Amino acid sequence: MKTPGTSTRAEQREASRQSVLEAAAELFSHFGFEGTSMNSISDKAGVSKQNMIYYFGSKEGLWEEMLDWLFANVADSFDEVLYKGRSVDQISISDFIRAYFEVCRRHPAYVLIPMLEGVNDTWRSKMIAERYLSRHVGRFNRFVRACADRGEISDVEPLHLQNLAAGGAQLFLALAPIWKLAAGKDTTSEKFIREYAETVVRLLKPAS
Amino acid sequence: MKTPGTSTRAEQREASRQSVLEAAAELFSHFGFEGTSMNSISDKAGVSKQNMIYYFGSKEGLWEEMLDWLFANVADSFDEVLYKGRSVDQISISDFIRAYFEVCRRHPAYVLIPMLEGVNDTWRSKMIAERYLSRHVGRFNRFVRACADRGEISDVEPLHLQNLAAGGAQLFLALAPIWKLAAGKDTTSEKFIREYAETVVRLLKPAS
DNA sequence: GTCTATACCCAGATAGAC
DNA sequence: GTCTATCTGGGTATAGAC
């Protein structure tokens, strides 16, 4: 039996919020903050614009909630694909790269939004950097040092490695439309990304 | 002595067009097509909006002329930095990567515009791909095969190599604001880019 | 809580005087 | 060729009925 009254309303509201967040992530990630209108989000989500603003307060508020929602989803995927309860010490650089590429493939907006926003120094860039990337960069640096100590990778500046390990797939995934047009290949397929991960892993192996 | 009459007018017009193109490249490359207004371009260029539209017909027309102008400038830089009259056979992969990074550093818009536009399949992506990137990709593939034949690089899929060789610097340069915020480093400095080029070159060396 | 109607602003583009 | 003035459309956000 469905509980009547407030419970159903709350459920309805949550469902609407959810579909707005999904639509917002999709549109913001493709057209940027300025290039995305509240009309297009509400159309895509099937929620009236007025209610959407009522839920999220403003376009800025919606963007902010979308960001937190997105990064929470990504963190869940990371746990599922990579950590599975393991600690950082138990993860090899190959595992990391392969898993990272896979997570990026599953969450296009995770790749696209920092890419579109990171071009400028705005409140949105600041929010992405402060809430998420700073922690990410620090954690990655510690991970790289551990891998280097174990002799798993050749001696590479962590930031360079981060760019090689994470950035390459980001470009293939984010710029898939233009890669398709220019090179005629689908750079988002699971196979393509897996093979690229293998290339990167191979190049990073220390010359024994 | 300045020639009077039509000549001066043509010069004036050319100077105005030039300053509009510069402003347009700067703004389009940071805020995207939708995110850039004709008002902001005309303000930055110091040319009235009405005359700007008179010169370029429309926002679309201006974008198109800006693209050709930009890629022509980039081609000049490539000639200056890399080719210097040499043929492709005389250029090593190290030279290429270092030069490519330097050209990207000199022309931020060359990196940013394909990045912001390449996310979607629009008339602008098509124009970038058809007029420029397709040729670029084909040329690069031939170059890579030549390098591989000479044993200069380990056996890597050309598209992967292209992404490693070209993409890495693009991300550091394009996303400099967010890298600065997240990692506290200026990833656009000549020194930083040179060092990153050296890392890439080193990793690509075949394990002898 | 959810609708209709609308206020208000800025976008791109045009008309017409000079 | 370059201005002033203006049109039309779409943007975010709000007011108020229900």
Side-chain angles (χ1 to χ4, degrees), chain A:
Chain A
M1 291 221 309
K2 284 210 297 184
T3 33
T6 54
S7 167
T8 314
R9 280 229 169 155
E11 279 168 26
Q12 183 61 39
R13 181 191 164 105
E14 203 40 46
S16 287
R17 282 179 56 93
Q18 187 70 16
S19 88
V20 168
L21 288 170
E22 282 168 21
E26 165 97 18
L27 291 169
F28 279 138
S29 68
H30 277 93
F31 306 108
F33 184 78
E34 319 284 353
T36 302
S37 72
M38 296 292 264
N39 280 316
S40 66
I41 297 173
S42 69
D43 283 354
K44 194 176 177 73
V47 174
S48 78
K49 184 171 70 164
Q50 296 84 344
N51 278 341
M52 204 173 73
I53 293 177
Y54 175 69
Y55 290 149
F56 296 97
S58 67
K59 192 179 181 182
E60 282 77 13
L62 171 55
W63 192 90
E64 186 177 344
E65 288 208 42
M66 178 278 301
L67 190 74
D68 287 337
W69 172 83
L70 171 65
F71 273 79
N73 286 350
V74 167
D76 288 346
S77 270
F78 260 114
D79 285 338
E80 183 197 327
V81 171
L82 182 60
Y83 295 117
K84 301 168 186 164
R86 295 182 293 181
S87 85
V88 178
D89 298 333
Q90 299 170 279
I91 292 164
S92 72
I93 186 81
S94 317
D95 284 346
F96 178 85
I97 290 174
R98 282 182 244 265
Y100 186 85
F101 283 19
E102 176 58 20
V103 168
C104 287
R105 211 180 60 79
R106 288 193 193 178
H107 299 277
Y110 172 58
V111 173
L112 287 165
I113 286 175
M115 180 170 284
L116 291 184
E117 294 295 344
V119 161
N120 298 304
D121 186 354
T122 64
W123 60 271
R124 300 186 298 282
S125 278
K126 281 199 183 66
M127 200 173 279
I128 296 170
E130 282 166 11
R131 292 200 191 166
Y132 302 104
L133 295 193
S134 297
R135 256 179 293 164
H136 174 83
V137 168
R139 220 183 307 135
F140 188 84
N141 283 356
R142 288 192 295 278
F143 173 61
V144 164
R145 274 198 288 274
C147 290
D149 287 348
R150 295 201 300 271
E152 252 188 53
I153 47 174
S154 40
D155 187 34
V156 176
E157 220 276 301
L159 206 56
H160 293 179
L161 181 60
Q162 183 145 350
N163 203 47
L164 284 162
Q170 284 173 17
L171 280 171
F172 275 137
L173 291 166
L175 306 186
I178 209 166
W179 274 116
K180 177 79 186 164
L181 289 167
K185 293 204 180 174
D186 175 15
T187 56
T188 64
S189 78
E190 210 236 316
K191 181 166 173 286
F192 185 90
I193 289 298
R194 199 181 54 242
E195 287 173 356
Y196 182 66
E198 279 157 20
T199 295
V200 173
V201 166
R202 186 156 52 83
L203 288 175
L204 288 176
K205 279 222 184 87
S208 56

Side-chain angles (χ1 to χ4, degrees), chain B residues 62-101:
Chain B
L62 171 56
W63 192 90
E64 187 177 344
E65 288 209 42
M66 178 278 300
L67 189 74
D68 287 337
W69 172 82
L70 171 65
F71 274 78
N73 286 349
V74 168
D76 288 346
S77 270
F78 260 114
D79 285 338
E80 183 196 328
V81 171
L82 181 59
Y83 296 117
K84 300 169 186 163
R86 294 182 294 179
S87 84
V88 178
D89 298 332
Q90 298 170 280
I91 293 163
S92 73
I93 187 81
S94 317
D95 283 347
F96 179 86
I97 290 174
R98 282 183 244 266
Y100 186 85
F101 284 19

